């Protein structure tokens, strides 16, 4: 997938993603992301992944909003990415299938 033509591709993002790939465990992820982003930014990214998982489980927008606290606009954006995006959510969710993040 290295030949993926991304709309956001840049040398800066390449460096950022390579840095993420250097992280060895959850604790290192916490250390890095607490430094590189605000708490709300990190929580927002986590919320979107949770929304994506719930959408894959065929939960309704109202159920997802109640479980995650996400707005219907956020749920709609995530749903659009699941259906018409770069397939990133689907890739990660497939790999995390056994994880329990209800």
């Amino acid at each position: 997938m290295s030949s993926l033509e991304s709309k956001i591709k840049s040398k800066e993002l390449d460096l950022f993603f390579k840095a993420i790939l250097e992280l060895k465990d959850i604790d290192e992820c916490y250390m890095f992301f607490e430094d590189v982003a605000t708490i709300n930014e990190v929580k927002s990214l986590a919320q979107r992944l949770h929304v994506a998982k719930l959408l894959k489980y065929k939960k309704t927008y109202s159920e997802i909003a109640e479980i995650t606290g996400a707005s219907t606009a956020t749920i709609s954006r995530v749903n659009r990415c699941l259906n018409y995006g770069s397939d990133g959510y689907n890739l990660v969710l497939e790999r995390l299938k056994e994880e329990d993040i209800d």
Side-chain angles (χ1 to χ4, degrees):
M1 211 181 272
S2 59
S3 63
L4 175 70
E5 283 301 315
S6 172
K7 298 174 205 106
I8 63 170
K9 187 159 180 54
S10 72
K11 287 184 187 249
E12 274 184 339
L13 274 173
D14 284 353
L15 176 63
F16 180 69
F17 293 143
K18 286 177 185 177
I20 292 170
L21 291 171
E22 290 298 318
L23 300 170
K24 305 283 190 253
D25 57 29
I26 298 266
D27 289 335
E28 288 187 4
C29 287
Y30 275 102
M31 291 167 57
F32 179 72
F33 281 97
E34 283 184 31
D35 282 351
V36 79
T38 67
I39 292 169
N40 285 340
E41 289 168 336
V42 174
K43 285 183 174 184
S44 178
L45 293 171
Q47 181 189 61
R48 290 177 194 169
L49 181 59
H50 194 182
V51 166
K53 182 170 184 172
L54 294 172
L55 284 166
K56 294 288 278 184
Y57 284 146
K58 306 295 186 205
K59 298 285 187 188
T60 66
Y61 277 33
S62 58
E63 289 172 314
I64 294 168
E66 186 177 322
I67 293 167
T68 66
S71 69
T72 54
T74 295
I75 298 167
S76 180
R77 267 194 305 276
V78 171
N79 193 43
R80 192 168 42 254
C81 288
L82 275 172
N83 294 312
Y84 307 108
S86 301
D87 226 22
Y89 279 124
N90 290 312
L91 173 75
V92 169
L93 290 171
E94 185 63 31
R95 291 182 183 168
L96 291 173
K97 232 193 244 184
E98 304 80 41
E99 294 290 324
D100 184 33
I101 55 166
D102 295 323

